Structures are given as structure tokens and as C-alpha cells.
């Protein structure tokens, strides 16, 4: 074989000028035979003997040998080490030129050659880009899309593969294909050629690549991709095929318009079917499919329109099926069920309906199953759902009566920041406007101590912020001296003073109102902490800072009045006097906000009376 190959390569060199001769054809057949026998070794020999340099001339001649030359290049380019040499030998321009011919065999082999040269090769892609190859291939695909003859199907598969290799993992080339309009063409292919497995697979891989790009979503949304994918999905029995379609559905379903299209096309029914088929199986591929299907279900519920459509006023069969996941024994389904409830609970109407139909009990039972050695993602999801359900005022007292706060408090010992964050948010939502509940919780020493500890969680800004906000909320909603005292004794005052300097105005305000209540209800007990935390300096800074919002200025002055109104607090009085607050306040009498100006007058009178 080796001798024949060397002879063939020598003969090819000598006769390449007369490229249509029988001897050339014989040499090409010999090369193809050798490549079929041992591709790597033969390719190395072809490069070694400089045969690639003869190929451009052979390609340009366009005769009966042309398909064989293109086939040899396609075979050679299967080897990574041959792709750059193919580009350097100048093969790309004549190959791209051949894309303009009508001969189907030439087009097929040329498409293979270009596709293989582009595979994982920056040089190959750049050369094809420079020669304008992708545009011609995209036009071919468009013009051949409706033809169902088998030879055309094969050619379309090769062309799609070529575009995929050309653009894979390259955002700018993918964007170029999108702007050429390949997406509607590929979606059309999926519809016309759904029986052609190789071609549909190629389209799916191409969609998977392109769908990652944000700019593709709009084009996808203007096609019937949702119907085509759901139709294809419902026909699949093999795990791998379903997985391929899932890989396209997931990035597409991030787009709200496509979410709704997928729901309308019946994807949800397909997903519920997958869940039913895989829920009791331990097989690895079934477990993976259950996760993918239930995750995708949750993703569809992130769109407001798609979510509301599936809720159907709380009577929807999909909504009911998803609810049944919560009490299941499968962690993945428990998680998806809780996340789905959290997504359905995105408006007051849905929340009120769900609380009235007993969903809270299901979530509490789920949390109870995960207290000891629990699954953190399930804990987090169930707490998220409870937090959302607690937002409407009408739900708060019902949820408190159902014992939500008691179950949530069982997770105080959690060391997982995501669980801590949701736990705090849930309690804060529950006690909003609920004075009795705020008093009950605010006098629980263990809770207040844990909050004070989390107020120092500098590595977890979310937990730190929520702890401060809950501490403040317990005081603001209870307006109770017992709660104030519990917070003072737990060491919470200094954190509320720090919170008053937060960059978030809402947090500043919440802190100032809580501090005002502390000063009004139990200044004697708080005095030392106020002095230690430099409260008076903080208030001075807030009043002199021109960027402070009117409500911040207003609440700061209320707090000053509370401090000055108490006869006993000498150290604080002295600080107020030494910082010349009276000057700052008198300037605020002309503030553009009437409420601030009025409060400045009252505060000035109070300060004058004290001095």
C-alpha cells in the first residue's frame, strides 16, 4: 500500500497540469483507498510529499475528478494536524468557488471538506469567513429546504454540519449566521424533514448553539419553533433524543414570548408525562430526565403570562399536578413543586387563593421533613414560597394561625446563608402590620440573639441586611417596650445605628423609626448603647448631608426630639448641644419639603427649651 501511495503521489505531481487524464483519476482513487485504510498515516504522507499544494489547481479545473479531490481534502481534514496545512495550501478559496456549481456530488464533498477544515480550527473558520463561504451555504440550504428527495436530505445535513462547525463556540460567527437569517430556514427544515433523523439532529445541535445568543431569541420567537420542537419531542422514545431537544428548549424558554409559545404548543403536557414515566425509576438517565423536565417546568412559570395561563384561577390541571409534587418522596420533585408555588405566588390574587386552598400546610409538612439533615435546596425553595405567599396583608394572620412562624423558627440553627436569608425574609413578611406576632417573636431571646449574630455576617451582605431589617421590623410593628428591651439586652442597638447609615434609603428609614421607638419607650435602658454607637454624630451627619432624603431628615429630627424630651439623659443632651444641632435644624426650617420644614420648627423649639 505504501509503495502504491508514493507512486500515486509522484504521478499526481507530474500529471497535475493535465488534471482530467486517466492517470490523475487513478492516482486519486489510490489516495482515497489509502485514506480509507489508514487515514492518519496517509494524511501525513500527503503533507510530507507536498501533495496539498497541487490541490488548488485540481479543484479549479472543475471536471470529473473534482468530487474526488474534494473528498480527499474532506478525509484529510478529519485530522487536526492537517487543518492548518489545508488553509496554508490555499484550498479554501477554490473550495468556496465550487459551492457555486450545480453538481450535487461536488457540492456534497465540498461541504464536507469545508466543514471538516472548520472543525475546532480558528484558521479554517477565518479563511471560510474571508471567502464568504457561509453565505453561499446558507443560501443553498434556503433554496433546497422544501425538497424531500433523499440525496438533497444528505446534502442539507452536510451543509448544516458545515455551518455548525464554522460557528461553534464563536459568538461573532454565530451572530453573523443569525443576521444572514439562518434561523427561520433551519426551523423550516425541522418541519419539512422531521423523518430525516440525521438532519433533524444536525438542526437541533445548531439550534442549541445559536439559542445561547440573546440576539437569536427574537428571531426564534418569530418562527414556529415551539410547535416544531414540541411535535418532535412528543414522538421521541430514546433518552438521548429527548436530551438533545431539552438542550434547545432550556435556553429558548428563558425568553418570555417563547415561554408562552411553548405552553400553547403543549410542552407542559409532555413534561408532566416525562415526570410520570421517570419518577419511580433509579436509572441514571431517568433521574437526569426527571430533573431536566421539572426544572424546565419551573422555568416556564417564570414568565408572567405563561404562569397565569397555567394557574387558570387555581383550577388548572397543571397547577394541581405540580402541587402533588410537594408531598412526594422524591427530592427533585419536592424542590420543583416548592419553586413552582413560589413562581405562582407572584401576585396577590394567586397568593390569596393558594393560602385559602391549604397550600401552606403542604409546605409546612415539607419543611418539617427537612429540619434534621435536610436538603438545603428544598428548604430554600419552600421558604421562598412561604415568603411570597405572606406578602398580601390578607394572608398574614391566616399563615400565622397555621403555625408558619413556629416551623420557620426551627431553621434558626441553619448555617446555610441561602436558608438564613429566606427564613429572615419570611418572618419579616409575616409580621408586617401584625403587632401581636411581632411582639411574640420580638420577645424570643434566642431569635433576637441569632439576629444580632447575623447582623455581623459581613461575608453575606444579604443575610446581614435582612437581619437588620427584621430586628427593626420587630420593634416597628410591635411598638412594644418588652421587644425594645429584648433587643437592647441582646445587643441589637448598635446594629440599628449602623443600619441608619446604609446606602439604601428604605433601610435607613426603617432603622430611624425603630431607634425613635427605642428612645420613646426605653431611653434609660438604651442610653449607654446610643452613646457607644455614636448615635448623635450619625444623626448630625444625616441632617447636614444634602443628599439625605426628606423622610430621613424628618425621622432624624423626631429621634432628636425623643432624646431631648427625656430629662434624664445627660450624656446625649450634652452631645446634641456640643454639635450645635440648633443651627442645623434652623436651616431646615426653609426646606422645600413642608413636612420637614414644619418638623424643623418643632425641633428647634424643643432644642431652645432644653438649652
Amino acid at each position: 500500500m505504501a509503495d502504491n501511495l508514493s507512486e500515486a503521489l509522484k504521478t499526481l505531481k507530474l500529471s497535475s497540469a493535465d488534471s482530467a487524464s486517466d492517470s490523475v483519476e487513478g492516482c486519486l482513487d489510490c489516495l482515497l483507498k489509502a485514506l480509507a485504510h489508514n487515514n492518519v498515516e496517509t494524511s501525513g504522507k500527503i503533507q510530507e510529499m507536498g501533495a496539498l499544494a497541487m490541490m488548488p489547481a485540481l479543484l479549479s479545473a472543475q471536471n470529473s475528478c473534482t468530487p474526488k479531490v474534494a473528498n480527499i481534502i474532506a478525509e484529510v481534514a478529519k485530522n487536526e494536524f492537517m487543518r492548518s496545512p489545508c488553509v496554508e495550501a490555499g484550498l479554501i478559496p477554490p473550495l468556496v468557488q465550487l459551492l457555486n456549481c450545480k453538481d450535487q456530488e461536488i457540492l456534497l464533498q465540498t461541504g464536507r471538506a469545508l466543514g471538516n477544515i472548520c472543525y475546532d480550527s480558528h484558521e479554517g473558520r477565518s479563511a471560510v469567513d474571508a471567502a464568504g463561504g457561509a453565505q453561499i451555504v446558507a443560501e443553498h440550504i434556503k433554496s433546497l429546504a422544501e425538497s424531500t428527495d433523499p440525496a438533497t436530505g444528505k446534502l442539507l445535513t452536510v451543509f448544516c454540519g458545515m455551518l455548525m462547525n464554522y460557528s461553534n463556540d464563536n459568538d461573532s460567527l454565530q451572530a453573523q449566521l443569525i443576521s444572514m437569517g439562518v434561523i427561520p430556514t433551519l426551523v423550516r427544515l425541522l418541519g419539512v424533514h422531521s423523518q430525516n433523523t440525521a438532519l433533524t439532529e444536525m438542526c437541533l445541535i445548531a439550534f442549541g448553539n445559536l439559542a445561547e445568543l440573546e440576539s437569536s431569541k427574537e428571531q426564534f420567537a418569530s418562527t414556529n419553533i415551539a410547535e416544531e420542537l414540541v411535535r418532535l419531542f412528543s414522538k421521541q422514545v430514546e433518552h438521548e433524543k429527548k436530551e438533545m431537544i431539552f438542550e434547545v428548549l432550556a435556553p429558548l424558554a428563558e425568553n418570555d414570548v417563547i415561554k408562552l409559545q411553548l405552553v400553547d404548543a403543549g410542552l407542559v403536557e409532555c413534561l408532566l408525562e416525562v415526570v410520570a414515566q421517570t419518577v419511580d425509576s433509579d436509572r441514571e438517565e431517568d433521574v437526569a430526565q426527571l430533573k431536566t423536565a421539572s426544572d424546565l417546568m419551573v422555568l416556564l412559570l417564570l414568565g408572567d403570562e405563561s404562569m397565569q395561563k397555567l394557574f387558570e384561577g387555581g383550577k388548572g390541571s397543571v397547577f394541581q399536578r405540580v402541587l402533588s409534587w410537594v408531598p412526594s418522596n422524591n427530592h427533585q420533585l419536592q424542590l420543583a413543586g416548592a419553586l413552582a408555588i413560589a413562581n405562582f405566588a407572584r401576585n396577590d390574587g394567586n397568593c390569596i387563593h393558594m393560602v385559602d386552598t391549604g397550600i401552606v400546610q403542604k409546605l409546612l409538612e415539607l419543611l418539617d421533613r427537612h429540619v434534621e439533615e435536610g436538603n438545603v435546596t428544598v428548604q430554600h425553595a419552600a421558604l421562598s414560597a412561604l415568603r411570597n405567599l405572606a406578602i398580601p396583608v390578607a394572608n398574614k394572620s391566616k399563615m400565622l394561625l397555621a403555625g408558619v412562624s413556629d416551623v420557620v423558627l426551627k431553621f434558626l440553627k441553619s448555617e446555610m446563608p441561602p436558608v438564613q436569608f429566606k427564613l429572615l425574609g419570611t418572618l419579616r413578611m409575616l409580621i408586617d402590620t401584625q403587632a401581636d406576632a411581632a411582639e411574640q417573636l420580638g420577645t424570643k431571646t434566642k431569635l433576637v440573639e441569632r439576629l444580632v449574630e447575623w447582623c455581623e455576617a459581613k461575608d453575606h451582605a444579604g443575610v446581614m441586611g435582612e437581619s437588620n431589617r427584621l430586628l427593626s421590623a420587630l420593634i416597628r410593628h410591635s411598638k412594644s417596650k418588652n421587644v425594645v428591651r429584648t433587643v437592647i439586652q441582646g445587643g441589637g442597638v448598635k446594629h440599628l445605628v449602623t443600619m441608619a447609615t446604609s446606602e439604601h434609603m428604605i433601610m435607613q428609614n426603617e432603622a430611624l423609626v425603630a431607634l425613635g421607638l427605642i428612645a420613646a419607650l426605653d431611653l434609660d435602658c438604651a442610653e449607654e448603647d446610643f452613646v457607644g454607637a455614636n448615635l448623635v454624630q450619625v444623626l448630625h451627619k444625616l441632617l447636614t448631608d444634602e443628599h439625605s432624603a426628606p423622610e430621613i431628615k424628618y425621622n432624624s429630627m423626631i429621634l432628636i426630639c425623643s432624646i431631648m424630651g427625656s430629662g434624664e439623659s445627660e450624656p446625649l443632651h450634652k452631645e446634641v448641644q456640643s454639635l450645635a444641632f440648633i443651627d442645623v435644624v434652623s436651616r431646615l426650617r426653609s426646606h422645600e419639603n413642608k413636612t420637614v420644614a414644619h418638623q424643623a420648627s418643632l425641633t428647634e423649639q424643643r432644642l431652645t427649651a432644653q438649652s
Side-chain angles (χ1 to χ4, degrees), residues 2-16 27 31 45 49 51 54:
D3 295 344
N4 289 354
L5 178 62
S6 299
E7 284 305 310
L9 287 165
K10 281 178 190 158
T11 311
L12 197 58
K13 269 187 158 176
L14 292 169
S15 55
S16 64
C27 295
L31 288 187
K45 193 90 176 163
M49 293 192 67
M54 301 179 289

Side-chain angles (χ1 to χ4, degrees), residues 133-142 145 159-160 162-164 166-167 173-190 202-203 206-207 209-211 213 216 219-220 222-223 225:
Q135 181 75 53
I136 304 170
V137 170
E139 281 161 13
H140 272 305
I141 296 174
K142 193 172 183 177
F159 277 163
C160 286
M162 181 258 158
L163 288 185
M164 210 175 64
Y166 170 71
S167 64
L173 294 180
Q174 286 175 355
Q176 180 193 81
L177 293 184
I178 291 167
S179 64
M180 284 177 195
V182 301
I183 287 175
T185 306
L186 291 175
V187 174
R188 185 78 198 107
L189 283 188
L190 204 59
M202 213 46 101
C203 287
F207 290 147
N209 288 344
L210 296 171
L213 236 67
S216 74
Q219 271 205 28
F220 274 119
S222 67
T223 69
I225 183 82

Side-chain angles (χ1 to χ4, degrees), residues 303-368:
D304 286 337
E305 283 186 76
S306 48
M307 177 273 287
Q308 212 50 46
K309 186 164 193 138
L310 293 170
F311 189 67
E312 287 183 63
K315 310 235 175 347
S317 62
V318 173
F319 172 63
Q320 298 300 334
R321 285 278 287 279
V322 170
L323 279 193
S324 73
W325 294 355
V326 176
S328 89
N329 288 320
N330 182 301
H331 280 187
Q332 174 57 35
L333 277 194
Q334 293 171 359
L335 170 65
L339 287 172
I341 292 173
N343 285 345
F344 279 123
R346 284 212 313 279
N347 62 54
D348 283 7
N350 290 7
C351 288
I352 290 166
H353 179 86
M354 286 196 277
V355 168
D356 288 346
T357 50
I359 281 172
V360 169
Q361 214 40 55
K362 281 191 168 71
L363 290 168
L364 294 183
E365 283 160 15
L366 176 62
L367 277 172
D368 262 331

Side-chain angles (χ1 to χ4, degrees), residues 1-2 5-6 9 30-49 51 72 75-76 79 81-82:
M1 181 71 88
L5 178 62
S6 299
L9 287 165
C30 179
L31 288 187
L32 283 168
K33 204 170 173 182
L35 283 163
H37 176 69
N38 187 334
N39 191 318
V40 177
E41 199 178 303
T42 306
S43 296
K45 193 90 176 163
I46 288 173
Q47 189 188 4
E48 208 178 294
M49 293 192 67
I72 288 167
E75 289 300 316
V76 162
N79 303 291
F81 69 90
M82 290 299 289

Side-chain angles (χ1 to χ4, degrees), residues 409-425:
L409 286 171
K410 291 179 185 177
F411 293 90
L412 265 185
K413 57 187 174 199
S414 171
E415 293 303 332
M416 306 305 288
V419 173
Q420 296 167 353
F421 181 73
K422 286 295 175 188
L423 167 156
L424 292 163

